[in-house]
Amino acid sequence: MIAETTTSERATRAVAQRLAATLAPGAVLLLHGDLGAGKTAFVRGLAEGLGVAEDEVSSPTFTLVHEYRGGRLPLHHVDLYRLPDGSASLEDLGLDETAEDGILAIEWPERLARPVAGALHVRFSIIDEDTRALTIGET
């Protein structure tokens, strides 16, 4: 388990950049946290760590999935915020096979109908306006 406290968006991105260097194709990251906790900033850091320009990353709230190519691995960024809890599955969304060649980062994973085996859970806690506590682990 990794535990980090960050005091800026840049520091949150740096944690993700370091993690990206360790990820292999097929990795699934489940991003847990309230609105404004830093989930999309974390995905920007993943993109940077994979060699994708961070300014290409935006929250896919209205399109559900964004795909970023051009780096070491493709990055698939999913935001399930607008779906009801427990209503989505990777298969129904077409993400089970899509993610095999790259990294899959899912915001609001509690909307998934069932757990994702082998996924890394990234949990964000808001401490104050700038400070976040991040924990990264398999549970």
Side-chain angles (χ1 to χ4, degrees):
M1 170 141 359
I2 299 169
E4 296 265 352
T5 300
T6 62
T7 56
S8 67
E9 181 177 324
R10 183 178 193 166
T12 298
R13 290 192 336 251
V15 171
Q17 287 173 350
R18 290 191 303 272
L19 179 63
T22 70
L23 298 175
V28 177
L29 286 76
L30 304 178
L31 310 178
H32 306 269
D34 292 333
L35 287 170
K39 296 181 297 292
T40 299
F42 190 86
V43 174
R44 284 188 185 104
L46 287 174
E48 289 174 299
L50 293 169
V52 176
E54 65 91 15
D55 62 346
E56 291 190 29
V57 177
S58 62
S59 180
T61 299
F62 295 103
T63 58
L64 198 64
V65 180
H66 282 173
E67 181 179 3
Y68 305 103
R69 293 196 175 265
R72 177 175 70 83
L73 295 169
L75 174 61
H76 309 276
H77 181 197
V78 181
D79 187 330
L80 303 178
Y81 180 74
R82 297 198 176 279
L83 299 179
D85 280 358
S87 68
S89 73
L90 294 183
E91 296 82 11
D92 292 343
L93 297 170
L95 297 172
D96 52 331
E97 294 177 12
T98 301
E100 291 176 2
D101 69 333
I103 307 303
L104 179 60
I106 303 174
E107 296 188 36
W108 303 98
E110 57 275 6
R111 307 297 203 256
L112 292 170
R114 57 188 169 276
V116 179
L120 276 178
H121 293 264
V122 183
R123 299 182 191 284
F124 299 80
S125 298
I126 299 172
I127 306 302
D128 62 31
E129 185 176 329
D130 297 317
T131 309
R132 305 293 186 263
L134 282 69
T135 56
I136 303 168
E138 293 183 13
T139 58

PDB file of all heavy atoms in Angstrom, residues 64-65 78-80 83 87-98 106 111-112:
ATOM      1  N   LEU A  64     -18.384   9.889 -21.113  1.00  0.00           N
ATOM      2  CA  LEU A  64     -18.159   8.640 -20.384  1.00  0.00           C
ATOM      3  C   LEU A  64     -16.729   8.137 -20.492  1.00  0.00           C
ATOM      4  O   LEU A  64     -16.114   7.811 -19.499  1.00  0.00           O
ATOM      5  CB  LEU A  64     -19.154   7.554 -20.823  1.00  0.00           C
ATOM      6  CG  LEU A  64     -19.325   6.370 -19.906  1.00  0.00           C
ATOM      7  CD1 LEU A  64     -19.907   6.797 -18.572  1.00  0.00           C
ATOM      8  CD2 LEU A  64     -20.192   5.316 -20.548  1.00  0.00           C
ATOM      9  N   VAL A  65     -16.166   8.065 -21.708  1.00  0.00           N
ATOM     10  CA  VAL A  65     -14.814   7.523 -21.879  1.00  0.00           C
ATOM     11  C   VAL A  65     -14.001   8.430 -22.797  1.00  0.00           C
ATOM     12  O   VAL A  65     -14.476   8.830 -23.854  1.00  0.00           O
ATOM     13  CB  VAL A  65     -14.850   6.109 -22.509  1.00  0.00           C
ATOM     14  CG1 VAL A  65     -13.432   5.565 -22.677  1.00  0.00           C
ATOM     15  CG2 VAL A  65     -15.694   5.157 -21.703  1.00  0.00           C
ATOM     16  N   VAL A  78     -12.305   6.809 -17.715  1.00  0.00           N
ATOM     17  CA  VAL A  78     -13.747   6.599 -17.635  1.00  0.00           C
ATOM     18  C   VAL A  78     -14.291   7.363 -16.436  1.00  0.00           C
ATOM     19  O   VAL A  78     -13.712   7.326 -15.350  1.00  0.00           O
ATOM     20  CB  VAL A  78     -14.057   5.091 -17.476  1.00  0.00           C
ATOM     21  CG1 VAL A  78     -15.554   4.854 -17.414  1.00  0.00           C
ATOM     22  CG2 VAL A  78     -13.417   4.283 -18.590  1.00  0.00           C
ATOM     23  N   ASP A  79     -15.420   8.033 -16.617  1.00  0.00           N
ATOM     24  CA  ASP A  79     -16.093   8.729 -15.524  1.00  0.00           C
ATOM     25  C   ASP A  79     -17.534   8.231 -15.469  1.00  0.00           C
ATOM     26  O   ASP A  79     -18.330   8.507 -16.363  1.00  0.00           O
ATOM     27  CB  ASP A  79     -16.050  10.238 -15.755  1.00  0.00           C
ATOM     28  CG  ASP A  79     -16.574  11.039 -14.572  1.00  0.00           C
ATOM     29  OD1 ASP A  79     -17.462  10.532 -13.851  1.00  0.00           O
ATOM     30  OD2 ASP A  79     -16.111  12.169 -14.375  1.00  0.00           O
ATOM     31  N   LEU A  80     -17.871   7.483 -14.422  1.00  0.00           N
ATOM     32  CA  LEU A  80     -19.194   6.874 -14.290  1.00  0.00           C
ATOM     33  C   LEU A  80     -20.140   7.706 -13.424  1.00  0.00           C
ATOM     34  O   LEU A  80     -21.206   7.222 -13.041  1.00  0.00           O
ATOM     35  CB  LEU A  80     -19.048   5.465 -13.684  1.00  0.00           C
ATOM     36  CG  LEU A  80     -18.152   4.507 -14.457  1.00  0.00           C
ATOM     37  CD1 LEU A  80     -18.058   3.167 -13.727  1.00  0.00           C
ATOM     38  CD2 LEU A  80     -18.648   4.320 -15.881  1.00  0.00           C
ATOM     39  N   LEU A  83     -23.959   7.722 -13.986  1.00  0.00           N
ATOM     40  CA  LEU A  83     -24.683   6.458 -13.987  1.00  0.00           C
ATOM     41  C   LEU A  83     -25.166   6.130 -12.568  1.00  0.00           C
ATOM     42  O   LEU A  83     -24.522   6.490 -11.591  1.00  0.00           O
ATOM     43  CB  LEU A  83     -23.772   5.330 -14.479  1.00  0.00           C
ATOM     44  CG  LEU A  83     -23.231   5.471 -15.898  1.00  0.00           C
ATOM     45  CD1 LEU A  83     -22.338   4.286 -16.225  1.00  0.00           C
ATOM     46  CD2 LEU A  83     -24.352   5.593 -16.905  1.00  0.00           C
ATOM     47  N   SER A  87     -24.937   0.064 -11.665  1.00  0.00           N
ATOM     48  CA  SER A  87     -25.638  -0.142 -12.936  1.00  0.00           C
ATOM     49  C   SER A  87     -24.737  -0.497 -14.112  1.00  0.00           C
ATOM     50  O   SER A  87     -25.226  -0.888 -15.157  1.00  0.00           O
ATOM     51  CB  SER A  87     -26.424   1.117 -13.297  1.00  0.00           C
ATOM     52  OG  SER A  87     -25.539   2.182 -13.603  1.00  0.00           O
ATOM     53  N   ALA A  88     -23.437  -0.369 -13.972  1.00  0.00           N
ATOM     54  CA  ALA A  88     -22.544  -0.537 -15.113  1.00  0.00           C
ATOM     55  C   ALA A  88     -21.631  -1.739 -14.911  1.00  0.00           C
ATOM     56  O   ALA A  88     -21.256  -2.073 -13.792  1.00  0.00           O
ATOM     57  CB  ALA A  88     -21.699   0.718 -15.294  1.00  0.00           C
ATOM     58  N   SER A  89     -21.271  -2.383 -16.001  1.00  0.00           N
ATOM     59  CA  SER A  89     -20.236  -3.411 -15.949  1.00  0.00           C
ATOM     60  C   SER A  89     -19.225  -3.094 -17.047  1.00  0.00           C
ATOM     61  O   SER A  89     -19.558  -2.438 -18.040  1.00  0.00           O
ATOM     62  CB  SER A  89     -20.824  -4.806 -16.158  1.00  0.00           C
ATOM     63  OG  SER A  89     -21.187  -5.000 -17.508  1.00  0.00           O
ATOM     64  N   LEU A  90     -18.005  -3.560 -16.865  1.00  0.00           N
ATOM     65  CA  LEU A  90     -16.987  -3.315 -17.877  1.00  0.00           C
ATOM     66  C   LEU A  90     -17.419  -3.902 -19.220  1.00  0.00           C
ATOM     67  O   LEU A  90     -17.197  -3.296 -20.266  1.00  0.00           O
ATOM     68  CB  LEU A  90     -15.646  -3.906 -17.447  1.00  0.00           C
ATOM     69  CG  LEU A  90     -14.980  -3.278 -16.230  1.00  0.00           C
ATOM     70  CD1 LEU A  90     -13.624  -3.916 -15.982  1.00  0.00           C
ATOM     71  CD2 LEU A  90     -14.844  -1.775 -16.362  1.00  0.00           C
ATOM     72  N   GLU A  91     -18.057  -5.049 -19.165  1.00  0.00           N
ATOM     73  CA  GLU A  91     -18.503  -5.696 -20.393  1.00  0.00           C
ATOM     74  C   GLU A  91     -19.580  -4.859 -21.095  1.00  0.00           C
ATOM     75  O   GLU A  91     -19.527  -4.643 -22.305  1.00  0.00           O
ATOM     76  CB  GLU A  91     -19.057  -7.102 -20.100  1.00  0.00           C
ATOM     77  CG  GLU A  91     -18.016  -8.065 -19.563  1.00  0.00           C
ATOM     78  CD  GLU A  91     -17.773  -7.922 -18.050  1.00  0.00           C
ATOM     79  OE1 GLU A  91     -18.543  -7.227 -17.347  1.00  0.00           O
ATOM     80  OE2 GLU A  91     -16.792  -8.498 -17.566  1.00  0.00           O
ATOM     81  N   ASP A  92     -20.583  -4.404 -20.331  1.00  0.00           N
ATOM     82  CA  ASP A  92     -21.660  -3.600 -20.914  1.00  0.00           C
ATOM     83  C   ASP A  92     -21.133  -2.317 -21.546  1.00  0.00           C
ATOM     84  O   ASP A  92     -21.666  -1.831 -22.539  1.00  0.00           O
ATOM     85  CB  ASP A  92     -22.713  -3.235 -19.862  1.00  0.00           C
ATOM     86  CG  ASP A  92     -23.495  -4.434 -19.365  1.00  0.00           C
ATOM     87  OD1 ASP A  92     -23.483  -5.495 -20.036  1.00  0.00           O
ATOM     88  OD2 ASP A  92     -24.119  -4.319 -18.288  1.00  0.00           O
ATOM     89  N   LEU A  93     -20.101  -1.752 -20.946  1.00  0.00           N
ATOM     90  CA  LEU A  93     -19.528  -0.504 -21.441  1.00  0.00           C
ATOM     91  C   LEU A  93     -18.494  -0.745 -22.545  1.00  0.00           C
ATOM     92  O   LEU A  93     -17.971   0.208 -23.116  1.00  0.00           O
ATOM     93  CB  LEU A  93     -18.881   0.273 -20.290  1.00  0.00           C
ATOM     94  CG  LEU A  93     -19.842   0.731 -19.185  1.00  0.00           C
ATOM     95  CD1 LEU A  93     -19.061   1.266 -17.994  1.00  0.00           C
ATOM     96  CD2 LEU A  93     -20.819   1.765 -19.711  1.00  0.00           C
ATOM     97  N   GLY A  94     -18.195  -2.012 -22.825  1.00  0.00           N
ATOM     98  CA  GLY A  94     -17.207  -2.337 -23.854  1.00  0.00           C
ATOM     99  C   GLY A  94     -15.780  -2.091 -23.421  1.00  0.00           C
ATOM    100  O   GLY A  94     -14.894  -1.924 -24.254  1.00  0.00           O
ATOM    101  N   LEU A  95     -15.544  -2.067 -22.120  1.00  0.00           N
ATOM    102  CA  LEU A  95     -14.216  -1.729 -21.616  1.00  0.00           C
ATOM    103  C   LEU A  95     -13.385  -2.945 -21.250  1.00  0.00           C
ATOM    104  O   LEU A  95     -12.186  -2.822 -21.027  1.00  0.00           O
ATOM    105  CB  LEU A  95     -14.344  -0.824 -20.387  1.00  0.00           C
ATOM    106  CG  LEU A  95     -15.007   0.520 -20.646  1.00  0.00           C
ATOM    107  CD1 LEU A  95     -15.250   1.253 -19.338  1.00  0.00           C
ATOM    108  CD2 LEU A  95     -14.155   1.348 -21.578  1.00  0.00           C
ATOM    109  N   ASP A  96     -13.997  -4.115 -21.188  1.00  0.00           N
ATOM    110  CA  ASP A  96     -13.243  -5.300 -20.786  1.00  0.00           C
ATOM    111  C   ASP A  96     -12.123  -5.608 -21.773  1.00  0.00           C
ATOM    112  O   ASP A  96     -10.994  -5.879 -21.378  1.00  0.00           O
ATOM    113  CB  ASP A  96     -14.165  -6.498 -20.585  1.00  0.00           C
ATOM    114  CG  ASP A  96     -15.082  -6.765 -21.766  1.00  0.00           C
ATOM    115  OD1 ASP A  96     -15.427  -5.812 -22.489  1.00  0.00           O
ATOM    116  OD2 ASP A  96     -15.454  -7.933 -21.960  1.00  0.00           O
ATOM    117  N   GLU A  97     -12.390  -5.541 -23.052  1.00  0.00           N
ATOM    118  CA  GLU A  97     -11.363  -5.813 -24.057  1.00  0.00           C
ATOM    119  C   GLU A  97     -10.551  -4.565 -24.392  1.00  0.00           C
ATOM    120  O   GLU A  97      -9.365  -4.655 -24.701  1.00  0.00           O
ATOM    121  CB  GLU A  97     -12.000  -6.383 -25.313  1.00  0.00           C
ATOM    122  CG  GLU A  97     -12.615  -7.755 -25.089  1.00  0.00           C
ATOM    123  CD  GLU A  97     -13.312  -8.296 -26.317  1.00  0.00           C
ATOM    124  OE1 GLU A  97     -13.135  -7.729 -27.414  1.00  0.00           O
ATOM    125  OE2 GLU A  97     -14.036  -9.292 -26.167  1.00  0.00           O
ATOM    126  N   THR A  98     -11.189  -3.408 -24.320  1.00  0.00           N
ATOM    127  CA  THR A  98     -10.508  -2.150 -24.636  1.00  0.00           C
ATOM    128  C   THR A  98      -9.295  -1.940 -23.751  1.00  0.00           C
ATOM    129  O   THR A  98      -8.247  -1.492 -24.204  1.00  0.00           O
ATOM    130  CB  THR A  98     -11.472  -0.958 -24.457  1.00  0.00           C
ATOM    131  OG1 THR A  98     -12.580  -1.144 -25.304  1.00  0.00           O
ATOM    132  CG2 THR A  98     -10.812   0.356 -24.748  1.00  0.00           C
ATOM    133  N   ILE A 106     -10.774   4.475 -13.821  1.00  0.00           N
ATOM    134  CA  ILE A 106     -12.219   4.644 -13.690  1.00  0.00           C
ATOM    135  C   ILE A 106     -12.538   5.515 -12.485  1.00  0.00           C
ATOM    136  O   ILE A 106     -12.242   5.159 -11.333  1.00  0.00           O
ATOM    137  CB  ILE A 106     -12.925   3.281 -13.539  1.00  0.00           C
ATOM    138  CG1 ILE A 106     -12.608   2.375 -14.729  1.00  0.00           C
ATOM    139  CG2 ILE A 106     -14.426   3.476 -13.364  1.00  0.00           C
ATOM    140  CD1 ILE A 106     -13.142   0.965 -14.584  1.00  0.00           C
ATOM    141  N   ARG A 111     -20.152   2.836  -9.094  1.00  0.00           N
ATOM    142  CA  ARG A 111     -21.241   2.683 -10.059  1.00  0.00           C
ATOM    143  C   ARG A 111     -21.177   1.336 -10.785  1.00  0.00           C
ATOM    144  O   ARG A 111     -22.115   0.940 -11.451  1.00  0.00           O
ATOM    145  CB  ARG A 111     -21.218   3.789 -11.114  1.00  0.00           C
ATOM    146  CG  ARG A 111     -21.193   5.229 -10.587  1.00  0.00           C
ATOM    147  CD  ARG A 111     -22.434   5.586  -9.788  1.00  0.00           C
ATOM    148  NE  ARG A 111     -22.688   7.009  -9.731  1.00  0.00           N
ATOM    149  CZ  ARG A 111     -22.447   7.781  -8.673  1.00  0.00           C
ATOM    150  NH1 ARG A 111     -21.910   7.283  -7.594  1.00  0.00           N
ATOM    151  NH2 ARG A 111     -22.743   9.060  -8.714  1.00  0.00           N
ATOM    152  N   LEU A 112     -20.037   0.640 -10.662  1.00  0.00           N
ATOM    153  CA  LEU A 112     -19.891  -0.663 -11.313  1.00  0.00           C
ATOM    154  C   LEU A 112     -20.764  -1.707 -10.629  1.00  0.00           C
ATOM    155  O   LEU A 112     -20.914  -1.703  -9.402  1.00  0.00           O
ATOM    156  CB  LEU A 112     -18.426  -1.112 -11.291  1.00  0.00           C
ATOM    157  CG  LEU A 112     -17.474  -0.304 -12.152  1.00  0.00           C
ATOM    158  CD1 LEU A 112     -16.029  -0.681 -11.851  1.00  0.00           C
ATOM    159  CD2 LEU A 112     -17.796  -0.494 -13.631  1.00  0.00           C
TER     160      LEU A 112
END
